[in-house]
Structure formats: structure tokens, C-alpha cells
Amino acid sequence: PVHEAFLRLAAEDLLDLLPRRGAVVVPIPPREATDLLEMRLALEGSAVRRLCRSEATARAAAAELVRLIDQQRGAATDLARFAELDDAFHRHIVDSAGNCIAQRFYGSLGDRQRRMMADAVQADQTLVERLIAEHAELAQAIDARDAAAFDARLVAHLESTYEVVLR
């Protein structure tokens, strides 16, 4: 099972297999990180536009996001748990919209996304409180059914977290 897992990770360019020497985790190149974040913008923005069509759906999604934010506050000192909850927060946005193709594609970004988040919070542990506040703003935009505000806040959220320029 370990060998198959290593082969899968190597196929996804997350691991380099070195004959007779083992394996090395491959850093995510800056260009690939930007590509991944652009896909997140497209998928999460599209999901929110779909959510905003229905007040009940938007409110339900926002309520669940608030519950996840509360869990994030409780995990602020456990960086691995926080990274999991960050993934759950953003994944819930896409899942709530009900687009099964977007859900599958978003799921395929998961490993890289979690790795980037873990690296970001490891590098700057003060980032966690800011991320929680930004998540609250994203949830408020969904609750208000304001897709434009969500898009603007998501761009700022991703750019400041990963120190990239997306637009």
C-alpha cells in the first residue's frame, strides 16, 4: 500500500522518487501555486453566484460556514487541525452549490491546497487569527447574497495568505 501511495504522489508531482535513495517531497512551484489559486477563485466564485440565487440556500451555507469558523477558533493553536478546517470551509462553499463537476474538480486540488495552507500557517502563526476574520467576512457576503463582495474578499484573502497577485 505504501508503494502505491508513493506512486500516486509521484504521478501528481507531489513527490520525487529517487532510485535506491527514497523519496523527496516536491515544493509547489510559484507558478503552479498561482494556477491553483486562480482555479479556486473560479470555482468558489461560481459556487457563490449559484448559492446567491436562493436565499434559503445561501443562508444555510452561511450558517454552516459560521459553525466551521467557530471550530477554527477552537483549533487556532493546532495548525494541522486549522488547515483541515480551512479546507472544510472552502470546500463547503463549493459543495453547497451542488455542482457535482465543480465538486470533483475542487476535490482534485485538495492535496496541494492543504499543503500550501499548512506551509503558510507554519511560516506565520499569527496568520490564523486574520484568516478566521477573513472567513467571517466571506460567510457574511454569502449570507447577504453579495457575490461581488465575496469575489473581492476572496481575492484579497488568497493574495494576502499566499503572497501572490491574482488580478
Side-chain angles (χ1 to χ4, degrees):
V2 172
H3 181 70
E4 286 85 18
F6 274 27
L7 291 175
R8 181 179 149 242
L9 291 170
E12 294 180 19
D13 296 324
L14 296 172
L15 198 66
D16 272 344
L17 299 178
L18 307 172
R20 292 181 168 62
R21 294 190 329 190
V24 176
V25 175
V26 177
I28 296 175
R31 178 66 198 170
E32 185 175 317
T34 301
D35 291 347
L36 180 134
L37 295 173
E38 287 174 352
M39 288 299 92
R40 285 186 56 190
L41 282 174
L43 291 168
E44 291 182 45
S46 175
V48 169
R49 284 187 293 284
R50 183 182 270 206
L51 284 171
C52 287
R53 293 180 200 156
S54 162
E55 182 176 351
T57 305
R59 298 245 166 170
E64 176 60 16
L65 294 172
V66 168
R67 188 187 70 74
L68 289 167
I69 291 165
D70 288 340
Q71 289 183 15
Q72 289 174 353
R73 285 187 183 102
T77 59
D78 179 349
L79 299 181
R81 178 71 178 135
F82 179 82
E84 288 173 18
L85 290 166
D86 176 80
D87 179 56
F89 178 90
H90 290 281
R91 182 181 300 272
H92 182 70
I93 293 168
V94 175
D95 288 349
S96 294
N99 181 328
C100 63
I101 294 171
Q103 290 169 339
R104 279 195 302 269
F105 185 73
Y106 196 84
S108 73
L109 305 176
D111 291 334
R112 283 177 174 77
Q113 181 175 308
R114 280 187 297 278
R115 208 163 105 206
M116 287 172 58
M117 171 52 59
D119 289 347
V121 294
Q122 285 286 23
D124 180 4
Q125 295 182 14
T126 65
L127 183 62
V128 171
E129 289 304 318
R130 192 183 82 228
L131 293 175
I132 292 170
E134 291 172 0
H135 285 170
E137 291 175 356
L138 293 169
Q140 288 167 355
I142 292 170
D143 192 50
R145 296 172 59 200
D146 188 343
F150 177 86
D151 284 342
R153 289 176 179 151
L154 184 61
V155 167
H157 174 65
L158 295 177
E159 285 182 340
S160 68
T161 302
Y162 299 106
E163 299 177 354
V164 296
V165 176
L166 297 171
R167 288 194 183 174

